[in-house]
């Protein structure tokens, strides 16, 4: 079965319907599926529920999908960098379900592993625990959190072979593997599709079984907080650690 | 003289022991990294990295390499990368020895509030609830009082909680307190700050 598609729009063709649940990879603007988000905007699909750690920024990433009001609900841990998000949320146009970051990641992982629920200490005694089942294990209280089973996962990797075996780069991995796992269908965008056999099987981060459709494209990879330190005058960069 | 930000960070760094894997929060906790000296400390960034290095030199920023505050950073020879589920697996699983975090309020029973002020814009808890529920030891670093002069070390938190009974030690500009049975215990005071000064600035029960 051929997984490689010509464009993000082609790769999403036939997969979209209003009201669907989409899981997205990325942390801040790092490792987000830029091309697939653009294609979702173009498609006009609406009333989406999006499970994503963050909601992009104004004009970039998931922020674009918010501007066009295609999102009805976000499931996120932190949404601080987006004025349009806040406007829609405060006016009641957009629903928001806060999830502790690790709970969100584990809900995706669990869904992808066929686990409908798990108990965690995270959030016990906070607003997050309200309405959730509490259970004691070895004298400690835990709450029940449910796995996420997404209709569609959109993720970004660095490289993949034609069968979808994927490798991520540095901290751009973040939510991409758990998001990919929890989708009934997963569409992945990469910077480079390489021929079968050119990736070391021992170095695959996400096996191709989780990837159903694949595209290659150019990524802007915008930096959210550019922070640097002064370069010591006239000296080369030293190894930081022996 | 009460401690300044850097002195508080330096005091917090004394809490870290050789060989520890540690998560540092945003703000004063980030400064702790400057004071670990020769100790072999590995910093975790919960977006999926162990062995976080300093900020890059200008021109060497990598959009694929950021910390949990979304700032560009660098890697070290010891660095490893992993996904978010694995990252919070090591947090929830108690593998991270300590977290140093800022706070809006701490209570004498170890309750911590640092993510939300009702009526103000809510940005989200990020990974804070997972960290305080999972790591071995939670060390709070914050000013002892707010800008109105009210104590942030309380009998009970007034703000929505990040975690219940999770704080082990509080380091403020006035001194160091431990959460113990029945209240807080003074461990030390900043230079020139008396125990009476510390008590006067503390609403919580001191035992």
């Amino acid at each position: 079965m051929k997984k490689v598609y010509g464009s993000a729009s082609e790769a999403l063709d036939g997969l979209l319907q209003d009201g669907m649940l989409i899981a997205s990879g990325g942390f801040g603007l790092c490792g987000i599926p830029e091309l697939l988000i653009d294609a979702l905007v173009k498609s006009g699909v609406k009333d989406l529920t999006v499970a994503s750690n963050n909601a992009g920024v104004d004009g970039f990433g998931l922020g674009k999908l918010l501007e066009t009001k295609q999102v009805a609900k976000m499931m996120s841990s932190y949404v601080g960098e987006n004025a349009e998000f806040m406007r829609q949320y405060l006016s009641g146009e957009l629903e928001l379900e806060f999830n502790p970051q690790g709970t969100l990641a584990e809900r995706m992982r669990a869904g992808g592993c066929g686990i409908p629920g798990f108990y965690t200490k995270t959030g016990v005694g906070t607003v997050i625990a309200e309405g959730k089942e509490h259970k004691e294990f070895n004298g400690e209280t835990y709450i029940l959190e449910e796995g996420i089973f997404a209709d569609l996962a959109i993720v970004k990797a660095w490289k993949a072979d034609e069968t979808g075996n994927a490798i991520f780069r540095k901290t751009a991995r973040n939510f991409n593997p758990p998001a990919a796992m929890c989708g009934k269908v997963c569409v992945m965008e990469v910077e480079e599709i390489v021929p079968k056999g050119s990736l070391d099987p021992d170095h695959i981060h996400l096996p191709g079984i989780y990837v159903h459709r694949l595209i290659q494209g150019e990524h802007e990879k915008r930096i959210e907080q550019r922070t640097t330190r002064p370069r010591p005058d006239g000296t080369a960069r030293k190894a930081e650690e022996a | 003289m009460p401690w300044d930000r850097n002195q508080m960070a330096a005091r917090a760094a004394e809490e870290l022991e050789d060989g520890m894997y540690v998560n540092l929060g945003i703000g004063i906790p980030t400064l702790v990294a400057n004071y670990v000296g020769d100790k072999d400390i590995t910093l975790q960034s919960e977006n999926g990295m162990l062995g976080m290095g300093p900020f890059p030199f200008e021109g060497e920023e990598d959009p694929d390499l950021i910390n949990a505050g979304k700032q560009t950073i660098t890697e070290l020879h010891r660095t490893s990368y992993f996904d978010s589920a694995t990252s919070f697996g090591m947090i929830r699983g108690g593998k991270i020895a300590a977290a140093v975090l800022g706070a809006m309020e701490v209570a004498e029973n170890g309750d911590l509030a640092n993510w939300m002020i009702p009526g103000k814009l809510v940005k989200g808890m990020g990974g804070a609830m997972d960290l305080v529920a999972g790591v071995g030891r939670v060390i709070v670093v914050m000013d002892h009082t707010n800008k109105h002069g009210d104590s942030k070390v309380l009998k009970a938190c007034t703000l929505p909680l990040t975690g219940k009974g999770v704080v082990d030690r509080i380091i403020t500009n006035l001194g160091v307190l431990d959460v113990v049975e029945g209240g807080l215990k003074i461990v030390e005071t900043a230079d020139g700050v008396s125990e009476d000064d510390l008590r006067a600035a503390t609403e919580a029960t001191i035992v």
Side-chain angles (χ1 to χ4, degrees), chain B residues 108 177-187 195 199 202 204-207:
Chain B
E108 62 191 43
L177 298 139
D178 272 351
V179 179
V180 296
E181 196 66 37
L184 303 178
K185 184 168 173 279
I186 298 173
V187 177
E195 287 206 5
R199 283 170 195 274
T202 305
T205 311
I206 292 182
V207 296

Side-chain angles (χ1 to χ4, degrees), chain A residues 54 77-79 86 98 101-103 122 169-171 174-175 221 225 227-229 231-232 237 241, chain B residues 55-58 60 62 64 66 70-72 75-78 84 88 92 122-126 130:
Chain A
N54 311 96
S77 85
Y78 192 85
V79 294
M86 279 300 165
F98 271 131
Q101 192 174 144
T103 294
T122 302
R169 191 170 171 276
K170 303 184 188 285
T171 57
N174 56 59
F175 275 80
K221 298 212 275 189
Q225 304 278 347
T227 43
T228 56
R229 68 189 145 131
R231 200 182 282 272
R237 187 179 180 186
E241 202 175 1
Chain B
F55 294 143
F57 294 123
E58 203 176 320
E60 292 179 5
D62 184 339
D64 288 336
I66 63 170
K70 284 123 190 175
Q71 298 170 310
T72 46
E75 64 185 22
L76 305 170
H77 290 157
R78 69 175 57 193
S84 299
F88 283 92
R92 207 185 295 103
V122 182
K123 294 182 169 187
M125 71 290 286
D130 309 274

Side-chain angles (χ1 to χ4, degrees), chain B residues 51-184:
Chain B
M52 180 165 53
F55 294 143
F57 294 123
E58 203 176 320
E60 292 179 5
E61 308 93 322
D62 184 339
D64 288 336
L65 182 46
I66 63 170
N67 64 17
K70 284 123 190 175
Q71 298 170 310
T72 46
I73 48 164
T74 56
E75 64 185 22
L76 305 170
H77 290 157
R78 69 175 57 193
T79 297
S80 58
Y81 298 110
F82 33 84
D83 67 69
S84 299
T86 305
S87 184
F88 283 92
M90 64 184 72
I91 289 169
R92 207 185 295 103
K95 314 300 178 191
I96 302 294
V100 184
L101 302 167
M104 299 169 184
E105 295 177 349
V106 181
E108 62 191 43
N109 62 355
D111 287 1
L112 168 70
N114 72 353
W115 78 282
M116 172 182 184
I117 301 173
K120 290 209 174 169
L121 276 189
V122 182
K123 294 182 169 187
M125 71 290 286
M129 285 189 181
D130 309 274
L131 279 161
V132 299
V135 302
R137 190 167 159 76
V138 174
I139 300 154
V140 163
V141 180
M142 64 174 192
D143 282 326
H144 209 93
T145 54
N146 65 22
K147 60 185 174 212
H148 307 296
D150 304 323
S151 186
K152 293 168 68 176
V153 185
L154 305 172
K155 290 189 188 304
C157 289
T158 63
L159 296 170
L161 297 184
T162 308
K164 193 149 187 55
V166 293
V167 176
D168 295 289
R169 178 163 279 196
I170 309 163
I171 298 171
T172 76
N173 52 326
L174 301 184
V176 181
L177 298 139
D178 272 351
V179 179
V180 296
E181 196 66 37
L184 303 178

Side-chain angles (χ1 to χ4, degrees), chain B residues 11-84:
Chain B
R11 179 60 189 83
E14 290 177 25
E15 301 293 321
L16 308 183
E17 292 164 25
D18 207 47
M20 273 188 173
Y21 290 84
V22 176
N23 187 294
L24 302 179
I26 293 167
I28 300 174
T30 305
L31 301 174
V32 173
N34 299 335
Y35 298 97
V36 295
D38 292 336
K39 281 184 281 196
D40 186 31
I41 303 291
T42 304
L43 299 179
Q44 193 220 26
S45 190
E46 67 265 24
N47 53 319
M49 178 184 200
L50 279 169
M52 180 165 53
F55 294 143
F57 294 123
E58 203 176 320
E60 292 179 5
E61 308 93 322
D62 184 339
D64 288 336
L65 182 46
I66 63 170
N67 64 17
K70 284 123 190 175
Q71 298 170 310
T72 46
I73 48 164
T74 56
E75 64 185 22
L76 305 170
H77 290 157
R78 69 175 57 193
T79 297
S80 58
Y81 298 110
F82 33 84
D83 67 69
S84 299

